[in-house]
Amino acid sequence: MSTASPLVGVLAVQGDVREHLGVLKAVGARTLAVRRPEEIARVDALVIPGGESTTIDKLVRAFELQGPLRERLAAGMPAYGSCAGMILLADRVTDAARDQQTLGGLDITVRRNAFGRQIDSFEQDIWYAGWPEPLRAVFIRAPWVEEAGESVEVLARVSGGRAEGRIVAVRQGSLLATSFHPEVTGDVRVHAQFVEMVRMVS
Ligand code: GLN
């Protein structure tokens, strides 16, 4: 069964929740800010926003969301993680804080705060797999993907500079992740792609 207007949750414990809710609505999804286990059970899919992955991790555990989130991810719930959200979806993290945990699902190793101090926040037009026009990518103390498993499709890389060729967008089955923040640019293509992925499985 395909749902024309799936219910997409945005994990709302910390980070830029409102921006994602707005873009998801603009691309035709119904939305729900997710803070409680019962809300996790209701949604067709979940966005994990940018923010601070260590804080999101702590709050997810404090609010007893980690177990229900891991269960739904393991059962195939589509999810999109941006920046800190990418870290939360990664199976492995380098430069993690002590005791930092992830939800996992994506067979990638991410490096936190990978771009270093001088260019810790920057913007760049990048090529994104399958799209004829480049995408404006906003990086804010972003991670990059250090290693991606065989079943992970690389969607975008950085071009130029010290980070040349670093992987910044990936997909594995129903999981999508970007190091950058499409929710702040007005370009809705990444969210549209995600909602289309959700429609295919729901
Ligand atoms: N550096 C942050 C972290 O480790 C991510 C920053 C972001 O989401 N903009 O979680």
Side-chain angles (χ1 to χ4, degrees), residues 49-54 82-85 87 100 112-113 140-143 181:
E52 174 49 52
S53 59
T54 54
S82 164
C83 203
I87 298 171
Q100 181 170 2
R112 282 181 69 222
N113 305 323
I140 305 167
R141 292 187 305 286
H181 291 266

Side-chain angles (χ1 to χ4, degrees), residues 1-158:
M1 189 190 76
S2 150
T3 315
S5 183
L7 182 63
V8 180
V10 178
L11 184 64
V13 295
Q14 194 259 341
D16 67 337
V17 175
R18 204 168 26 156
E19 288 79 357
H20 283 283
L21 291 169
V23 186
L24 288 165
K25 273 185 205 126
V27 298
R30 291 175 299 131
T31 58
L32 183 70
V34 168
R35 295 185 188 87
R36 294 187 303 215
E38 339 43 295
E39 291 159 345
I40 296 171
R42 282 178 54 202
V43 295
D44 296 313
L46 187 74
V47 170
I48 306 178
E52 174 49 52
S53 59
T54 54
T55 307
I56 296 174
D57 166 42
K58 277 187 196 135
L59 294 173
V60 156
R61 286 190 272 160
F63 300 158
E64 295 180 355
L65 303 174
Q66 190 192 58
L69 285 170
R70 284 183 171 169
E71 263 168 44
R72 286 227 50 202
L73 289 167
M77 174 180 67
Y80 164 47
S82 164
C83 203
M86 171 190 261
I87 298 171
L88 267 294
L89 288 178
D91 283 344
R92 296 167 299 277
V93 184
T94 52
D95 282 8
R98 203 165 61 85
D99 292 339
Q100 181 170 2
Q101 295 178 17
T102 71
L103 301 168
L106 271 177
D107 182 14
I108 58 173
T109 304
V110 294
R111 177 172 292 279
R112 282 181 69 222
N113 305 323
F115 291 92
R117 223 188 232 169
Q118 274 186 326
I119 51 162
D120 68 354
S121 298
F122 65 103
E123 296 185 24
Q124 182 181 83
D125 285 337
I126 58 173
W127 294 104
Y128 193 98
W131 295 351
E133 298 295 327
L135 179 75
R136 189 75 180 161
V138 175
F139 297 89
I140 305 167
R141 292 187 305 286
W144 66 43
V145 177
E146 191 109 341
E147 253 174 31
E150 264 171 30
S151 52
V152 175
E153 187 188 348
V154 173
L155 299 176
R157 296 175 186 269
V158 167

